[in-house]
């Protein structure tokens, strides 16, 4: 080991005494990195949960029609036969008005084909075990739990649904009566927006509400395991679909939302990086103090034959070692906190009696976490680079010291 | 290099400091040649420029005029670790590492120490009577022991020239005597030339040649 690395280690972790200055410097980097890991993982978790909910409720690809497809049978068969497609199911959906027990809500009515929807989505997983999607008929619906609660509707109750078609009918002085449905179950997805404003019924019920005849608004598609969804989307658009239809991956369908989410994550990362930069100033400060305290030792090193650049490397190495140690400890601490994040959040919410607020404002009942390797690598690299850069000024000052002057210093 | 060949040749060394408009001439014109294996002492009053001269001879400071050669070749900082050993009044041991590691530090300047260098460090520590204290930190050693470690460190790379700047200045008389005897004996054994800067007339008398620095000149 070159002398400057040896001495860097020895100065940071001296024999026989607690390395107080080193511990403070390392702790600063550790805390900064831990916060970065926690925040990027939680933000990544939000993205991951949203992906999970989208894919599990709408499939990986959404084939949308311009307007609607009057007869989807032929195109559905073509989509199912497209290489890479594992399953496809038609849907019709739109906003409706719901009247129940004198209360009104305006949720999204999602009409699904009960025979094929579970081959594409995992909706059944979210439905209350007392009911099932297979039990849906053209006169029944399953409501999201928060919507049912807000309307005061219980399983077995009847509700009335008005579609926007009523406006068209009114223009031509026709009377359009609301459809009556029986609530046969509720479902809980875990996303506040979906849980508070969604009704699932059959695709035929949706067709009636929107006057689509046999038509549908689109087709949800699941791709085969190992298939790239973007490749399948490209294949569908190029060879399978007519010009009036277009396939979108779940990422394209939710592009704006995901962009905002990613932007939030990037801004958070940028802002929190300042914690690491502040920690780097702490490293710089400690090393500058070290240069002053060890001025005569630096002079001695020169007298022993050390080159100025090796003296500089000794201090840069110390900053690097602090950076690496602090970063590794920070990653460990970050993952440790992430492991108990829900206990912490629920504990705090319980103490403040705000469990419902958490769900209402943050969409999820649990704090999600998903650490992307790229985020982790970026955090680790940035932290080590910034910490090492913090050693440059002390290193420069140490290298500038002339041995004879350093040895004379008091 | 054989005994008698010059290891140090200083010719017309001058050093002055500027204090406002005043020019303080510390060394006017110093000529000094030290042969291999020779021991030379330099005495002088406080402020006479002894330490300044030693720093010039060690290449730690630059002269305003004159030339300096080590072993017949111009003195260069890059040759210092191989050619020179230096002992200072204030020991200057590295506090974070033990006595043995301090001695090995001189070898580390050249390359990562192997078994040969470790054996040499142990041998030197034995020669200065510190085998039992090899794993002690500088703070656990007395002043005399620290200076003995510094002497062992100065001899670690088997230098041809050892420069000692008031090595007994921080020691009591008895300990100082012990250190000087040891320093002279080690230099004799290893054939290392010695330039000893000291106040102590008795210590200076033990060297082969005694010089006095007066008015910026050696005599």
């Amino acid at each position: 080991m070159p002398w400057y690395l040896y001495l860097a280690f020895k100065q940071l972790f001296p024999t026989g005494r607690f390395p107080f200055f080193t511990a403070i410097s390392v702790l600063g980097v550790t805390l900064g990195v831990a916060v970065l890991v926690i925040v990027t993982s939680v933000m990544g978790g939000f993205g991951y949960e949203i992906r999970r909910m989208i894919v599990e409720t709408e499939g990986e690809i959404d084939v949308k029609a311009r307007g609607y497809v009057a007869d989807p049978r032929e195109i559905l068969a073509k989509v199912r036969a497209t290489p890479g497609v594992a399953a496809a199911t038609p849907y019709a959906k739109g906003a409706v008005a719901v009247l129940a027990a004198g209360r009104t809500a305006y949720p999204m009515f999602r009409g699904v084909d009960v025979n094929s929807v579970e081959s594409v989505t995992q909706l059944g997983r979210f439905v209350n075990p007392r009911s099932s999607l297979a039990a849906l008929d053209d006169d029944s619906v399953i409501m999201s739990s928060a919507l049912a609660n807000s309307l005061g509707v219980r399983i077995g109750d009847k509700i009335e649904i008005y579609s926007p078609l009523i406006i068209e009918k009114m223009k031509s002085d026709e009377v359009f009566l609301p459809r009556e449905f029986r609530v046969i179950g509720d479902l809980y997805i875990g996303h506040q927006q979906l849980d508070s404003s969604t009704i699932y019924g059959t695709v035929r019920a949706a067709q009636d509400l929107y006057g689509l005849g046999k038509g549908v608004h689109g087709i949800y598609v699941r791709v085969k395991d190992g298939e790239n969804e973007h490749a399948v989307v490209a294949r569908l658009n190029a060879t399978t679909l007519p010009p009036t239809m277009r396939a979108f991956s779940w990422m394209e369908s939710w592009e704006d939302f995901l962009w905002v989410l990613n932007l939030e994550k990037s801004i958070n990362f940028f802002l929190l990086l300042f914690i690491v930069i502040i920690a780097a100033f702490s490293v710089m400060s400690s090393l500058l103090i070290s240069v002053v305290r060890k001025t005569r030792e630096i002079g001695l090193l020169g007298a022993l034959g050390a080159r100025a650049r090796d003296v500089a490397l000794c201090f840069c190495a110390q900053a690097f070692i602090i950076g690496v140690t602090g970063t590794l400890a920070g990653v460990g601490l970050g993952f440790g906190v992430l492991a108990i994040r829900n206990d912490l959040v629920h504990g705090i919410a319980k103490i403040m009696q705000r469990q419902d607020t958490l769900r209402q404002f943050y969409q999820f009942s649990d704090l999600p976490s998903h650490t992307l390797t790229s985020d982790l690598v970026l955090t680790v690299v940035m932290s080590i680079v910034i910490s090492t850069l913090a050693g440059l000024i002390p290193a420069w000052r140490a290298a500038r010291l002339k041995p004879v002057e350093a040895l004379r210093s008091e | 290099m054989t005994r008698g060949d010059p290891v140090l040749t200083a010719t017309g060394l001058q050093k002055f400091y500027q204090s406002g408009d005043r020019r303080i001439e510390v060394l006017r014109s110093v000529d000094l040649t030290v042969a291999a294996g020779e021991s030379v002492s330099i005495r002088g009053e406080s402020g006479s420029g002894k330490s300044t001269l030693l720093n010039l001879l060690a290449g730690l400071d630059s002269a305003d005029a004159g030339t300096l050669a080590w072993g017949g070749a111009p003195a260069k900082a890059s040759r210092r670790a191989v050619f020179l050993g230096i002992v200072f009044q204030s020991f200057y041991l590295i506090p974070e590492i033990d006595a043995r590691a301090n001695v090995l530090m001189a070898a580390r300047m050249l390359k990562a120490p192997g078994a040969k260098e470790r054996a040499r460090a142990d041998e030197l520590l034995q020669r200065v009577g510190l085998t039992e204290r090899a794993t002690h930190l500088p703070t656990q050693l007395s002043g005399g022991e620290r200076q003995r470690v510094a002497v062992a460190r100065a001899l670690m790379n088997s230098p041809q020239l050892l420069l000692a700047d008031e090595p007994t200045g921080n020691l009591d008389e008895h300990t100082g005597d012990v250190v000087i005897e040891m320093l002279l004996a080690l230099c004799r054994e290893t054939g290392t030339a010695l330039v000893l800067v000291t106040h102590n007339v008795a210590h200076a008398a033990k060297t082969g040649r005694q010089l006095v620095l007066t008015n910026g000149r050696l005599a």
Side-chain angles (χ1 to χ4, degrees), chain B residues 58-80:
Chain B
L60 296 176
D61 202 357
S62 52
D64 294 310
T67 59
L68 177 69
W70 293 334
K76 281 183 186 169
S78 57
R79 291 176 61 210
R80 191 184 303 128

Short mmCIF file of all heavy atoms in Angstrom, two decimals, chain B residues 58-80:
data_model
loop_
_atom_site.label_atom_id
_atom_site.label_comp_id
_atom_site.label_asym_id
_atom_site.label_seq_id
_atom_site.Cartn_x
_atom_site.Cartn_y
_atom_site.Cartn_z
N ALA B 58 19.93 19.96 3.81
CA ALA B 58 18.96 18.88 3.62
C ALA B 58 18.09 19.10 2.39
O ALA B 58 17.27 18.25 2.04
CB ALA B 58 18.06 18.79 4.86
N GLY B 59 18.24 20.26 1.76
CA GLY B 59 17.41 20.54 0.58
C GLY B 59 15.99 20.90 0.95
O GLY B 59 15.10 20.91 0.09
N LEU B 60 15.73 21.20 2.24
CA LEU B 60 14.37 21.57 2.66
C LEU B 60 14.10 23.04 2.35
O LEU B 60 12.96 23.46 2.31
CB LEU B 60 14.19 21.32 4.16
CG LEU B 60 14.30 19.87 4.62
CD1 LEU B 60 14.20 19.77 6.14
CD2 LEU B 60 13.23 19.02 3.97
N ASP B 61 15.15 23.80 2.20
CA ASP B 61 15.03 25.22 1.89
C ASP B 61 16.00 25.52 0.74
O ASP B 61 16.95 24.76 0.52
CB ASP B 61 15.39 26.04 3.15
CG ASP B 61 14.80 27.44 3.10
OD1 ASP B 61 14.15 27.79 2.09
OD2 ASP B 61 14.99 28.18 4.09
N SER B 62 15.73 26.60 0.02
CA SER B 62 16.63 26.90 -1.11
C SER B 62 17.53 28.07 -0.77
O SER B 62 17.11 29.04 -0.11
CB SER B 62 15.80 27.19 -2.36
OG SER B 62 14.85 28.17 -2.07
N ALA B 63 18.78 27.96 -1.21
CA ALA B 63 19.76 29.02 -0.94
C ALA B 63 19.57 30.16 -1.94
O ALA B 63 19.06 29.94 -3.05
CB ALA B 63 21.17 28.45 -1.07
N ASP B 64 19.96 31.37 -1.51
CA ASP B 64 19.87 32.50 -2.43
C ASP B 64 21.06 32.52 -3.39
O ASP B 64 21.02 33.15 -4.44
CB ASP B 64 19.81 33.82 -1.64
CG ASP B 64 18.51 33.89 -0.84
OD1 ASP B 64 17.45 33.67 -1.45
OD2 ASP B 64 18.55 34.11 0.38
N ALA B 65 22.10 31.83 -3.00
CA ALA B 65 23.26 31.69 -3.89
C ALA B 65 24.05 30.47 -3.44
O ALA B 65 23.91 30.01 -2.31
CB ALA B 65 24.13 32.94 -3.84
N GLY B 66 24.87 29.96 -4.31
CA GLY B 66 25.71 28.81 -3.97
C GLY B 66 25.18 27.52 -4.57
O GLY B 66 24.10 27.49 -5.16
N THR B 67 25.99 26.48 -4.43
CA THR B 67 25.59 25.18 -4.99
C THR B 67 25.68 24.11 -3.91
O THR B 67 26.43 24.24 -2.94
CB THR B 67 26.50 24.77 -6.15
OG1 THR B 67 27.84 24.71 -5.67
CG2 THR B 67 26.40 25.74 -7.33
N LEU B 68 24.88 23.08 -4.12
CA LEU B 68 24.84 21.98 -3.16
C LEU B 68 24.82 20.66 -3.93
O LEU B 68 24.04 20.50 -4.89
CB LEU B 68 23.57 22.09 -2.29
CG LEU B 68 23.35 20.98 -1.27
CD1 LEU B 68 24.38 21.05 -0.14
CD2 LEU B 68 21.94 21.06 -0.69
N ALA B 69 25.70 19.75 -3.51
CA ALA B 69 25.73 18.43 -4.16
C ALA B 69 25.71 17.34 -3.10
O ALA B 69 26.31 17.49 -2.03
CB ALA B 69 26.97 18.31 -5.03
N TRP B 70 24.95 16.29 -3.40
CA TRP B 70 24.93 15.10 -2.53
C TRP B 70 25.62 13.99 -3.31
O TRP B 70 25.17 13.62 -4.42
CB TRP B 70 23.50 14.67 -2.21
CG TRP B 70 22.72 15.63 -1.37
CD1 TRP B 70 23.21 16.53 -0.47
CD2 TRP B 70 21.29 15.76 -1.34
NE1 TRP B 70 22.17 17.24 0.12
CE2 TRP B 70 20.98 16.77 -0.39
CE3 TRP B 70 20.25 15.14 -2.00
CZ2 TRP B 70 19.68 17.16 -0.12
CZ3 TRP B 70 18.95 15.52 -1.71
CH2 TRP B 70 18.67 16.52 -0.78
N GLY B 71 26.69 13.48 -2.77
CA GLY B 71 27.39 12.38 -3.42
C GLY B 71 27.86 12.72 -4.82
O GLY B 71 27.85 11.87 -5.71
N GLY B 72 28.22 13.97 -5.01
CA GLY B 72 28.76 14.40 -6.29
C GLY B 72 27.72 14.83 -7.30
O GLY B 72 28.06 15.39 -8.34
N ALA B 73 26.44 14.60 -7.02
CA ALA B 73 25.37 15.00 -7.95
C ALA B 73 24.54 16.11 -7.32
O ALA B 73 24.45 16.19 -6.08
CB ALA B 73 24.48 13.81 -8.26
N PRO B 74 23.98 17.00 -8.16
CA PRO B 74 23.19 18.10 -7.58
C PRO B 74 22.08 17.58 -6.65
O PRO B 74 21.45 16.56 -6.94
CB PRO B 74 22.58 18.77 -8.82
CG PRO B 74 23.46 18.38 -9.95
CD PRO B 74 23.99 17.03 -9.62
N ALA B 75 21.92 18.29 -5.54
CA ALA B 75 20.89 17.88 -4.56
C ALA B 75 19.50 18.10 -5.15
O ALA B 75 19.20 19.16 -5.68
CB ALA B 75 21.06 18.71 -3.29
N LYS B 76 18.67 17.06 -5.08
CA LYS B 76 17.30 17.17 -5.57
C LYS B 76 16.37 16.56 -4.53
O LYS B 76 16.72 15.55 -3.91
CB LYS B 76 17.13 16.37 -6.87
CG LYS B 76 17.66 17.06 -8.10
CD LYS B 76 17.36 16.18 -9.31
CE LYS B 76 18.00 16.76 -10.56
NZ LYS B 76 17.95 15.81 -11.66
N ALA B 77 15.18 17.14 -4.39
CA ALA B 77 14.22 16.64 -3.40
C ALA B 77 13.91 15.17 -3.63
O ALA B 77 13.69 14.40 -2.69
CB ALA B 77 12.94 17.47 -3.45
N SER B 78 13.89 14.76 -4.90
CA SER B 78 13.51 13.38 -5.20
C SER B 78 14.56 12.37 -4.70
O SER B 78 14.27 11.20 -4.57
CB SER B 78 13.33 13.22 -6.71
OG SER B 78 14.52 13.59 -7.38
N ARG B 79 15.79 12.84 -4.42
CA ARG B 79 16.83 11.93 -3.93
C ARG B 79 16.91 11.89 -2.41
O ARG B 79 17.65 11.09 -1.84
CB ARG B 79 18.20 12.37 -4.48
CG ARG B 79 18.36 12.16 -5.98
CD ARG B 79 19.70 12.71 -6.43
NE ARG B 79 20.82 12.03 -5.79
CZ ARG B 79 21.99 12.60 -5.52
NH1 ARG B 79 22.19 13.86 -5.82
NH2 ARG B 79 22.96 11.92 -4.94
N ARG B 80 16.15 12.79 -1.77
CA ARG B 80 16.31 12.98 -0.32
C ARG B 80 16.03 11.70 0.46
O ARG B 80 16.78 11.32 1.37
CB ARG B 80 15.39 14.10 0.17
CG ARG B 80 15.71 14.52 1.60
CD ARG B 80 14.75 15.56 2.14
NE ARG B 80 14.73 16.74 1.31
CZ ARG B 80 13.62 17.29 0.82
NH1 ARG B 80 12.45 16.76 1.09
NH2 ARG B 80 13.68 18.36 0.08
#
